[in-house]
């Protein structure tokens, strides 16, 4: 009989027995090395025979006693093994195994099919301990385990007492309480839990109203920003609790870089992508407070934050109201339109004040490449609104050219910053092109 097979792994040998009688005139002389079996060439019995999968040729060598007599065969369709004159005295065996038994054994190999255990969930639960079990075991080992809710409750209990008696020496303890609350409030559920527990009334507003304690006001503003950032439910809850008035008061009172920065963080976290808060905070009074930051003696990076905040709000408004069919639903569009953002910016002369800020700070912006890039990007986002004002302003164009030409002169100063500076320069060139056409090299 003929056997079709494929050798499972490369160069796996199998043993063929029989008396060699072949038609080829040249007899096969076996050695300890693999040799090719010519077509029709007879081979003696007791040799290792294989198909070399890299060449497709049949090869044989003397049997090595250390190799054993096991063969790795898979009974699947493959190349047909020709006779080669092997003795057919035992035609129903391969390597000493009966073919029928070999087929049965291969047929009985189980597939990768597993029956679902109906009690699997109970089994898995049995492998793990519940929170209460873990808590009790840790308690027995003098280790206290608390949930976020329990930790927040403990912080609330400590806060009122600590705030009422805070002195310069006790400042670290109060700062640690704020930091723990800020860490917890990064999670949406914890932020809502903070609000539900009365944290706004018990912690935020009393801290913001600490007229003689600027560090506490800064911490409270940061906490407020964390609570409402990317948390729509928290934003609604804070606006309902008079956050707009408190934030405007805090921004108007702030005079240091740290406090103004914290106020802008809280302000921006509340109004971004939230038209309802924009209607309350982006009023003529609110715009006046924001533009006023540009005239205060604070770090430039804080002043740039004001421009970025207004640019972000304007971009969101344009995307919502001019997005077409792919934009937000009609309800969202109407909410944005109700803010009358464009009208508010025009009536408060945003383009004029932003242009003056840009020109007046050109000397400081020149060495601050990162801030220059952020400033130009923010201004460019407002380019459509302010095109008429800025395209007719020689000072605005002059400032853009100053930044561009200084970058041009410094391109080769640091090889690691060449590409970055070229990107900034390209952004400036594109902005100049949008306002005035192609830029000139000279001032």
């Amino acid at each position: 009989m003929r056997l079709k097979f494929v050798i499972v792994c490369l160069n796996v040998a199998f043993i063929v027995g029989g008396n060699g009688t072949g038609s080829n005139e040249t007899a096969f002389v076996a050695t300890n090395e693999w040799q090719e079996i010519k077509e029709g060439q007879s081979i003696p019995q007791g040799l290792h025979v294989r198909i070399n999968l890299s060449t497709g040729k049949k090869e044989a060598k003397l049997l090595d006693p250390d190799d054993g007599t096991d063969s790795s065969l898979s009974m699947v369709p493959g190349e047909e093994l020709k006779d080669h004159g092997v003795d057919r005295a035992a035609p129903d065996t391969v390597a000493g195994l009966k073919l029928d038994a070999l087929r049965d054994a291969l047929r009985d190999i189980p597939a990768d099919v597993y029956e679902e255990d109906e009690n699997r969930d109970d089994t898995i639960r049995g492998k793990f301990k519940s929170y209460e079990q873990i808590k009790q075991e840790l308690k027995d080992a003098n280790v206290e385990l608390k949930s976020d809710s329990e930790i927040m409750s403990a912080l609330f209990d400590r806060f009122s007492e600590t705030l009422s008696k805070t002195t310069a020496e006790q400042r670290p303890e109060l700062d640690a309480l704020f930091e723990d609350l800020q860490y917890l409030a990064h999670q949406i559920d914890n932020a809502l839990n903070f609000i539900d527990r009365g944290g706004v009334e018990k912690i935020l507003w009393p801290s913001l109203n600490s007229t003689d304690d600027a560090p506490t006001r800064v911490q409270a503003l940061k906490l407020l920003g964390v609570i409402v950032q990317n948390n729509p439910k928290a934003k609604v809850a804070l606006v309902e609790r008079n956050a707009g008035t408190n934030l405007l008061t805090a921004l108007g009172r702030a005079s240091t870089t740290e406090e103004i920065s914290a106020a802008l963080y809280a302000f921006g976290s509340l109004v971004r992508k939230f038209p309802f808060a924009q209607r309350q905070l982006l009023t003529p009074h609110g715009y006046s407070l924001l533009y006023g930051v540009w005239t205060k003696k604070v770090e430039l990076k804080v002043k740039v934050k004001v421009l970025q905040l207004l640019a972000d709000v304007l971009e969101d408004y344009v995307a919502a109201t001019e997005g077409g069919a792919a934009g937000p639903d009609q309800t969202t569009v109407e909410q944005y339109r109700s803010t009358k953002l464009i009208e508010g910016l025009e009536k408060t002369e945003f383009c004029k004040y932003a242009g003056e800020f840009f020109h007046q700070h050109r000397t400081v912006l020149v060495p601050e490449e990162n801030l220059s890039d952020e400033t130009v990007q923010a201004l460019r986002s407002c380019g459509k609104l302010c095109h008429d004002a800025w395209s007719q302003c020689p000072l605005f164009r002059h400032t853009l050219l100053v930044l561009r030409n200084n970058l041009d002169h410094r391109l080769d100063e640091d090889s690691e910053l060449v590409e970055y500076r070229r990107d900034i320069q390209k952004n400036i060139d594109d902005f100049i092109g949008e306002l005035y056409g192609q830029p000139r090299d000279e001032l």
Side-chain angles (χ1 to χ4, degrees), residues 47-160:
L47 300 182
H48 275 303
V49 181
R50 74 178 183 183
I51 297 176
N52 189 325
L53 298 183
S54 62
T55 64
K57 303 294 185 179
K58 302 176 183 66
E59 301 174 344
K61 71 172 185 176
L62 293 174
L63 178 64
D64 186 349
D66 295 333
D67 287 345
T69 58
D70 293 335
S71 300
S72 298
L73 301 179
S74 176
M75 305 300 291
V76 295
E79 287 291 332
E80 182 176 305
L81 180 62
K82 295 186 178 180
D83 194 339
H84 293 300
V86 175
D87 182 15
R88 309 308 297 273
D92 294 330
T93 64
V94 173
L97 298 175
K98 291 185 177 182
L99 292 180
D100 290 340
L102 183 58
R103 290 193 186 95
D104 292 340
L106 292 171
R107 192 180 301 115
D108 293 337
I109 294 176
D112 294 334
V113 178
Y114 303 95
E115 295 184 2
E116 187 171 352
D117 184 358
E118 296 180 356
N119 300 320
R120 182 168 60 90
D121 291 340
D122 293 337
T123 303
I124 292 176
R125 279 194 293 268
K127 293 181 179 179
F128 300 97
K129 298 177 181 179
S130 68
Y131 171 73
E132 293 301 328
Q133 288 176 308
I134 296 173
K135 185 176 180 180
Q136 183 59 46
E137 290 180 4
L138 291 175
K139 186 176 181 180
D140 294 340
N142 293 323
V143 177
E144 190 71 19
L145 180 64
K146 292 184 178 180
S147 65
D148 286 354
S149 179
E150 292 170 331
I151 294 173
M152 188 173 293
S153 179
L155 293 174
F156 270 55
D157 292 340
R158 291 168 49 198
F159 190 90
S160 298

Side-chain angles (χ1 to χ4, degrees), residues 50 70 108 129 142 155 166 168 201 208 259-260 291 295 298 301 328 345 361 371 389 438:
R50 74 178 183 183
D70 293 335
D108 293 337
K129 298 177 181 179
N142 293 323
L155 293 174
T166 296
E201 295 80 10
L208 284 179
E259 190 169 357
I260 292 177
Y291 302 161
T295 64
V298 294
K301 63 180 181 180
L345 290 171
H361 291 80
L371 290 178
Q438 293 301 318

Side-chain angles (χ1 to χ4, degrees), residues 257 260-262 264-265 272 290 294 300-312 357 371 374:
T257 291
I260 292 177
S261 179
L264 289 173
Y265 168 63
R272 282 185 173 94
L290 291 171
W294 289 333
L300 179 60
K301 63 180 181 180
V302 176
K303 298 181 179 183
V304 173
K305 282 184 179 182
V306 174
L307 186 61
Q308 290 176 314
L309 168 60
L310 294 173
D312 289 345
F357 157 72
L371 290 178
E374 292 176 354

